[in-house]
Amino acid sequence: MTTVMNALNSPSIRVAEFLKLTLPTTNYYLCNAAAPITVDGNTYNALGSLLGIDEIQRNIKANSADLKVSINGIDPNNIALVLGSELKGSKIEIWRGFLDDNNQIITSPTQQFFKRYQGIINNIAINEDFNEAERIRVATCVISSASMRLVLENRNAGLKTNPQTWKNIYTNDTSMDRVPIIAATYFDFGKEPIGGSQTTSPSSGSLTTYNSGPQQ
């Protein structure tokens, strides 16, 4: 399904990138515009050129490409706030907005604000540089995120078939009760039936006999 972007028909196109970080305790709204912009009741703080976003892969087929976002000009005294903000594992979303002459999102005939990326932050890095002219240290936070496709590819799915795990979900279901017995039983498939087969109990080392064929 295609999205009609009316703003592209304008002779003068102004765009800005909008970033939302969803943390366990709060949300952060950032954009690379020159002034704060409010969209859908959320005010995106303006970082201008201090907010850098890598090129987003736009392929017809979904891909697992990572994305890096950099936030420059951080006061070194606030590095502890960045490291303690539980960024890793949080959701990151990026939109592109088209601006009018007042540097606000175009709303006519439709709101020109489109989501470009959604993923999960998998790593953060802090880099420090010394500004000799200002005689101060400046920190840069680099955020690496994995696309939702990659998250789903690495997702562990399924349910163990032992009685304990099964009954944590299905309390009265006994269909997995014989799994430990069957798991410790040797079946000689394809051989002539014999009076019984033997297996060694994993816990006690004792032999247990199971009837697997007709008795003589």
Side-chain angles (χ1 to χ4, degrees):
M1 181 179 180
T2 59
T3 301
V4 178
M5 297 182 179
N6 305 99
L8 297 180
N9 297 324
S10 173
S12 177
I13 300 176
R14 300 180 178 88
V15 297
E17 304 294 336
F18 297 79
L19 172 68
K20 177 183 177 182
L21 301 175
T22 303
L23 277 62
T25 56
T26 185
N27 298 332
Y28 290 97
Y29 300 88
L30 309 171
C31 70
N32 60 2
I37 297 177
T38 300
V39 184
D40 296 331
N42 300 317
T43 300
Y44 292 80
N45 296 312
L47 296 183
S49 60
L50 296 180
L51 176 62
I53 301 176
D54 282 358
E55 181 181 356
I56 299 176
Q57 299 293 327
R58 308 300 295 177
N59 300 326
I60 296 177
K61 183 178 180 181
N63 61 78
S64 303
D66 289 351
L67 179 71
K68 288 187 178 180
V69 175
S70 61
I71 302 176
N72 302 296
I74 300 176
D75 188 334
N77 296 324
N78 295 328
I79 292 179
L81 297 177
V82 177
L83 297 177
S85 58
E86 301 182 3
L87 278 171
K88 194 170 182 178
S90 300
K91 184 170 70 172
I92 179 174
E93 299 169 273
I94 297 176
W95 289 266
R96 170 169 287 176
F98 293 87
L99 309 179
D100 57 19
D101 294 337
N102 296 321
N103 290 326
Q104 297 299 314
I105 295 295
I106 298 174
T107 58
S108 177
T110 58
Q111 181 170 271
Q112 302 296 284
F113 190 73
F114 308 98
K115 178 176 282 191
R116 304 188 65 204
Y117 179 85
Q118 177 175 316
I120 299 296
I121 298 173
N122 56 9
N123 192 29
I124 60 172
I126 302 294
N127 302 322
E128 282 189 318
D129 293 320
F130 182 74
N131 189 324
E132 294 184 359
E134 300 292 336
R135 307 298 298 174
I136 59 173
R137 292 182 299 125
V138 179
T140 300
C141 176
V142 180
I143 300 173
S144 301
S145 68
S147 67
M148 294 304 298
R149 176 184 172 88
L150 182 61
V151 173
L152 293 175
E153 287 177 353
N154 296 331
R155 176 176 176 266
N156 293 324
L159 181 65
K160 293 182 179 179
T161 55
N162 60 69
Q164 295 78 14
T165 303
W166 193 259
K167 288 187 177 180
N168 287 335
I169 301 176
Y170 308 104
T171 307
N172 299 322
D173 190 350
T174 60
S175 58
M176 298 296 172
D177 285 358
R178 286 182 49 81
V179 168
I181 298 176
I182 297 174
T185 303
Y186 295 96
F187 296 94
D188 298 328
F189 293 101
K191 293 187 177 181
E192 291 295 329
I194 57 178
S197 60
Q198 294 181 333
T199 182
T200 302
S201 173
S203 58
S204 62
S206 60
L207 294 177
T208 305
T209 300
Y210 298 92
N211 292 327
S212 60
Q215 302 290 332
Q216 298 296 332

